[in-house]
Amino acid sequence: MTMSRTSYVYVGLAGETASGRPVKSGLYRMAAGDHRWELATRGLPEAPTIRAIATHPEHAEAVYVGTQHGPYRSTDHGENWERLNISDHGLPVWSLLFDPRDCKVLYAGYENCEIFRSEDGGERWQQLPVTVRFPEVTVAPGANPAKRVLELAANPANPDEVYGAIEVGGIIRSLDGGEHWENMSHGQYLNDDTVDMHGVLVGRWRPGMVFAIGRAGLFSSTDRGEHWASARLEPLNPKGQTYCRDIREVPGDPKTIWVAAGANFQSNVGVLFRSADGGLNWARVDMGVKPKSTMFTIAFDERQPKRMYCATTGGEVFASEDGGQSWAERHLPEGATQVYAMGCA
């Protein structure tokens, strides 16, 4: 364990862009209580695209990130990085997950719906057999290409129960630690809105509860993903939908859950929603500030859960030391946009 007790927040830029906008990539770090961001890219690929950040559950100095060339690890709070030993096939990592009971077990979710698992902290990896089909409404008839694994989640009470949020493809589930997967999306699809998933969370407050977020909003299941219902967040766009990008449970407080949202992928509205009853009811949070772009990500300090951060795709970062009651601006340097991932430890 490190002797330092300083907490750091990490922000990853994804290198995503729109017409007429420059691509932004990289990884920034800031010490808790500070106002200064610093690049933390020594040892990472050139122009690293960071779409996933996972801090080690027991060793705060150990941080893992997903890049366009696979996962990387730092053992010194991001000062230096080393590439982990997964065969590079030129496709990026979009998600990372530690087993909630055994932190030596680590999952990595890739584009093309590939999932790898390590049982020794990232030294050796095994590709898991993901052989699910996706709703053909998401692609042309007869075609069924694999999709991105945007987030992975496990049931803390049963870590062999693992879920993946697939863009565009819905939710997949394994009940045996990733050896077999099935598609848990169902319904009469008119378009791909309800299977364009961005995140998944296993709720600890009620057994069987799973939450999924995506382009069309927030959905909940009370039977481990067998059936889904809309959580009916306040609509933020003309389609009556709420574009959701991240969902997080407060460490040590399973009744309190936060969702990062906006009107669309790129919008001038950034919003946080919060539930104080395990996901039964949701309310828009008055931050006291007005984010100018879609809220994309949320992070908590596991050791001090009242310390939390959120960030918009436009590079606006907000910090709270009182569990989200008040917020202070900690914006990234000018031009640092396309924020996709955050972590804090």
Side-chain angles (χ1 to χ4, degrees), residues 19-262:
S19 178
R21 296 179 62 191
V23 174
K24 298 296 181 181
S25 58
L27 178 69
Y28 286 87
R29 180 186 75 170
M30 181 177 68
D34 201 348
H35 297 181
R36 298 166 298 173
W37 292 98
E38 56 182 336
L39 274 173
T41 56
R42 187 181 299 120
L44 291 176
E46 183 178 355
T49 60
I50 309 297
R51 300 181 175 104
I53 300 174
T55 56
H56 195 284
E58 295 180 356
H59 303 285
E61 68 275 20
V63 186
Y64 295 70
V65 297
T67 79
Q68 70 272 42
H69 296 303
Y72 280 69
R73 175 178 58 199
S74 171
T75 57
D76 54 12
H77 298 288
E79 289 286 343
N80 301 278
W81 296 90
E82 59 178 342
R83 188 178 182 280
L84 299 180
N85 186 28
I86 299 182
S87 297
D88 179 30
H89 47 34
L91 296 174
V93 172
W94 285 80
S95 50
L96 293 166
L97 170 70
F98 281 99
D99 184 296
R101 285 191 183 172
D102 183 357
C103 57
K104 290 183 179 180
V105 178
L106 179 65
Y107 296 87
Y110 275 81
E111 194 162 318
N112 270 14
C113 204
E114 294 181 2
I115 300 175
F116 287 75
R117 182 182 63 208
S118 172
E119 297 180 351
D120 55 11
E123 298 302 323
R124 293 178 298 274
W125 294 80
Q126 169 194 2
Q127 184 172 356
L128 301 177
V130 183
T131 56
V132 298
R133 285 190 60 81
F134 298 102
E136 289 193 349
V137 69
T138 69
V139 291
N144 206 257
K147 314 289 184 177
R148 299 166 173 170
V149 184
L150 285 200
E151 189 164 36
L152 291 161
N155 183 350
N158 176 20
D160 284 341
E161 182 184 326
V162 185
Y163 297 82
I166 312 300
E167 184 192 43
V168 176
I171 299 296
I172 62 174
R173 183 186 73 182
S174 173
L175 297 178
D176 56 10
E179 295 299 326
H180 301 87
W181 297 84
E182 55 186 327
N183 197 320
M184 305 309 295
S185 301
H186 74 284
Q188 183 64 40
Y189 300 114
L190 301 179
N191 55 50
D192 65 3
D193 285 356
T194 55
V195 288
D196 186 1
M197 289 288 109
H198 300 150
V200 60
L201 173 73
V202 181
R204 289 182 296 153
W205 184 244
R206 291 178 178 84
M209 183 70 77
V210 183
F211 300 95
I213 57 167
R215 186 169 72 208
L218 168 65
F219 301 86
S220 63
S221 171
T222 59
D223 54 11
R224 302 194 302 173
E226 297 287 343
H227 302 87
W228 298 91
S230 172
R232 304 195 182 281
L233 296 178
E234 175 187 339
L236 298 178
N237 64 32
K239 295 177 70 173
Q241 297 177 346
T242 308
Y243 181 93
C244 299
R245 196 67 199 200
D246 199 10
I247 181 167
R248 301 288 168 184
E249 190 179 87
V250 176
D253 179 10
K255 290 179 68 174
T256 306
I257 307 170
W258 292 75
V259 168

Side-chain angles (χ1 to χ4, degrees), residues 265-324:
F265 171 67
Q266 292 179 340
S267 73
N268 59 4
V269 177
V271 172
L272 291 174
F273 291 94
R274 178 175 55 200
S275 172
D277 56 10
L280 291 180
N281 298 282
W282 296 86
R284 183 170 174 172
V285 175
D286 181 2
M287 297 180 64
V289 292
K290 297 291 186 182
K292 299 179 177 63
S293 52
T294 301
M295 193 69 72
F296 240 64
T297 184
I298 304 168
F300 292 91
D301 187 336
E302 291 277 347
R303 294 181 301 177
Q304 301 182 56
K306 287 190 176 297
R307 174 180 293 151
M308 60 181 297
Y309 300 86
C310 60
T312 70
T313 183
E316 305 163 275
V317 179
F318 303 93
S320 176
E321 295 287 337
D322 55 12

